[in-house]
């Protein structure tokens, strides 16, 4: 197996907003020699937060990729956003990564978005390291965070390091694997000194070293034998067992540090190399044959047939569309012709880039295991699979949440209206959670996204990058509909215009499904009553009708059963049965007692306890339901559910109620029925 593939690490940095993802990545770049100064998020000098809005807001908006080298290993890093509005960036990044670092704040522990991104990484079975950051902060509690990870995430941490805190100051780290202390004596981590374990920590180290070996003994027979026989276990053997257990998901190594203060970052770099998998460790990649649907396997080797997954499209102002891609197998050369198995189109690679945030370094070739930028593709979109025309394969696409908030946009000058739609289409190409719709009555453009911040960023980008002046409406909640009861209808679509006519006859039953189920179609037509070739057209018609319910709101969680019908030998067609499906569903929907649904948001509000009464009163006035309230330590934390329609502009409210000392985060939880009084007003 090629040694260079074994020395590649493709990792993501995931955490709640303000967890320290970008600061940690900036330290990686500095200590590996990729940059020559330490970037600072607060000062707007971070390499990875290169967009103007990221510098101004001090948050990550778009996932940024880079490459650095450490101990003869190439580390491809994707720094992901921590705000829930940009969760699609996390999703598509995790789809192509081999490992990740979950960063948790030592004072705030497991926060809503850190839980969300942890679940996203679980979906793709990604091995992870846990890094407890901000150990320098007052109130930092390493062991409380580890306990939260066990209880709230249901994960099994394995502690590899212990923090040394003296007089409230984070001064060092005890390495349980090597049984030594790293003592920090200066501002630069390279000045750290190795030392013996402090006497006051000897008992604690003994306990946690024993716990470490016991956890390893559960999954490694060699460690078990030596542990039972009380034999010494070398550090290299311990590291090998940790690596194996991490890669197979038995546990998640826990490290600690303070990235901002340059403590623990070098040890974290070592852990990436030592414990996270290479592309070879992830073994074969499964796809399917685009025509037969049968499983297709690819090994992450240069000699395998070429296979590439495009996971992101970005419009670079000077070069055009840059396609971020993971090469799963084979080799790619500049000028090479490929076949897009998703769009069934031939493509040609003009240029290949190694990505470093907003800079692109051109290279002649790339191979299995690499993450690169591509230029020259014409018929390719996010999540498309490319490869050799003689060796077809399609990889699974990432799934993205539906938008929950919309605004109406209009160019201030009519001459800009067409260009406005083109620029919005460009933004929608980049972001799979953006939706565009044109109102047929007035030609107004509806832009839908994941939240207030998401829409605000999109509109600001539109103004800055295109120079188009736009006016916007107030944000509009993306309501949905479902039904309470079942209904059965019989519908005929008959049309005669002199020549060949149109005829379709269907009997359709619809019924409600559990919330979050989506749409289910079932065919119970007796053989011969409706030819099987027309059944998909009926289903397609039903799905089309569900996309545009009353007031244009989508219909969710419905099962449609095609019971019976008839056809005409000459006049029946796909279009006729599609129209019959649309008409039948609309009639059945009206009879099945439609009900309006609204998005509920999971809220976490962090605030000083002295403001708890005012904030709780405001939260319940917004129809919020408190699920958990933590007041045993500062700051207090309110966790609950609240309707999206009641929390527009909440950032201003929480600042006012807490004199700027409170913070909050909202993320979509689920849809539920709106109160009857509000639903009546909304429908009127």
């Amino acid at each position: 197996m090629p040694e260079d593939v074994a020395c590649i690490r493709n990792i993501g940095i995931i955490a709640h907003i303000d967890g320290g993802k970008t600061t940690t990545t900036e330290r990686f770049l500095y200590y590996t020699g990729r940059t020559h100064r330490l970037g600072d998020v607060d000062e707007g000098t971070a390499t990875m937060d290169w967009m103007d809005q990221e510098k101004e807001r001090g948050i990550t908006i778009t996932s940024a990729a880079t490459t650095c080298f450490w101990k003869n290993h190439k580390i491809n890093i994707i720094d992901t956003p921590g705000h829930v509005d940009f969760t699609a960036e996390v999703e598509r990044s995790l789809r192509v990564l081999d490992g990740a670092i979950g960063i948790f704040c030592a004072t705030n522990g497991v926060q809503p978005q850190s839980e969300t991104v942890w679940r996203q990484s679980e979906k793709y079975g990604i091995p992870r390291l846990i890094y407890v950051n901000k150990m320098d902060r007052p109130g930092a509690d390493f062991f409380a965070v580890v306990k939260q990870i066990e209880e709230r995430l249901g994960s099994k941490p394995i502690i590899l390091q212990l923090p040394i805190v003296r007089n409230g100051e984070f001064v060092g780290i005890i390495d349980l694997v090597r049984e030594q202390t790293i003592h920090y004596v200066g501002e630069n981590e390279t000045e750290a000194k190795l030392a013996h374990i402090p006497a006051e920590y000897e008992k604690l180290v003994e306990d946690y070293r024993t716990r470490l070996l016991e956890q390893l003994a559960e999954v490694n027979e060699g460690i078990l034998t030596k542990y039972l026989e009380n034999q010494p276990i070398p550090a290299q053997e311990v590291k090998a067992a940790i690596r194996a257990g991490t890669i197979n998901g038995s546990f998640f190594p826990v490290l600690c540090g303070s990235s901002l203060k340059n403590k623990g970052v070098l040890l974290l770099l070592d852990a990436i190399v030592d414990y996270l998998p290479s592309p070879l460790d992830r073994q074969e990649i499964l796809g399917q044959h685009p025509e037969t649907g049968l499983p297709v396997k690819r090994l992450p080797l240069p000699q395998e047939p070429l296979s590439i997954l495009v996971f992101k499209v970005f419009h670079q102002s000077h070069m055009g569309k840059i396609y971020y891609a993971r090469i799963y197998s084979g080799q790619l050369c500049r000028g090479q012709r490929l076949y897009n198995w998703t769009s069934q189109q031939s493509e040609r690679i003009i240029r290949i880039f190694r990505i470093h945030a907003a800079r692109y370094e051109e290279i002649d070739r790339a191979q299995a295991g690499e993450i690169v930028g591509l230029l020259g593709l014409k018929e390719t979109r996010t999540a498309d699979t490319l490869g050799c025309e003689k060796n077809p394969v399609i990889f699974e696409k990432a799934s993205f949440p539906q938008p929950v908030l919309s605004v109406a946009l209009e160019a201030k000058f009519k001459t800009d209206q067409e260009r406005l739609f083109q620029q919005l289409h460009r933004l929608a190409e980049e972001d799979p959670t953006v939706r565009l719709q044109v109102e047929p009555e007035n030609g107004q453009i509806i832009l839908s996204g994941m939240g207030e911040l998401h829409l605000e960023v999109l509109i600001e980008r539109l103004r800055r990058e295109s120079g188009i002046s736009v006016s916007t409406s107030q944000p509009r909640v993306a309501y949905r509909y479902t039904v309470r009861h079942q209904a059965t209808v019989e519908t005929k679509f008959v049309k005669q215009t002199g020549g060949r006519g149109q005829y379709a006859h269907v009997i359709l039953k619809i019924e409600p499904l559990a919330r979050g189920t989506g749409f289910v179609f079932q065919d119970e037509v007796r053989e011969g009553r409706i030819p099987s070739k027309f059944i998909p057209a009926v289903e397609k018609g039903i799905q089309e009708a569900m996309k545009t319910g009353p007031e244009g709101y989508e219909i969710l969680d419905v099962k449609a059963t095609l019971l019976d019908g008839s056809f005409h030998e000459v006049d029946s067609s796909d279009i006729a049965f599609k129209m019959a499906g649309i008409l039948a569903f609309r009639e059945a929907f009206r009879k099945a007692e439609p009900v309006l649904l609204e998005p509920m948001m999971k809220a976490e509000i962090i605030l000083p306890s002295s403001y708890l009464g005012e904030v709780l009163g405001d939260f319940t006035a917004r129809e919020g339901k408190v699920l958990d309230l933590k007041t045993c330590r500062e700051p207090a934390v309110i966790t609950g559910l609240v309707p999206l329609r009641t929390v527009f502009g909440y950032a201003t409210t929480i600042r006012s109620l807490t004199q700027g000392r409170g913070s909050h985060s909202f993320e979509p939880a689920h849809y539920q029925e709106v109160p009857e009084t509000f639903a009546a007003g909304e429908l009127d």
Side-chain angles (χ1 to χ4, degrees), residues 568-631:
H568 189 278
E569 289 285 358
V570 176
D571 291 346
S572 288
S573 64
D574 281 342
I575 189 66
F577 273 98
K578 179 182 174 183
M579 289 304 301
I582 292 173
L583 296 173
F585 181 84
R586 287 176 178 169
E587 184 182 351
F589 176 74
R590 286 192 293 270
K591 292 182 176 180
E593 196 177 340
V595 58
L596 189 66
L597 305 174
E598 67 177 337
M600 298 296 292
M601 309 300 285
K602 182 180 179 183
E604 183 178 82
I605 306 168
I606 302 171
L607 70 159
S609 297
S610 55
Y611 302 104
L612 193 59
E614 295 93 329
V615 173
L616 275 174
D618 177 79
F619 187 71
T620 53
R622 295 172 186 271
E623 302 175 38
K625 177 183 178 183
V626 176
L627 301 178
D628 190 24
L629 180 61
K630 291 186 173 68
T631 58

Side-chain angles (χ1 to χ4, degrees), residues 648-659:
F648 291 135
Y650 190 74
T652 303
T653 302
I654 192 68
R655 280 197 297 267
S656 174
L657 290 175
T658 64
Q659 297 183 10

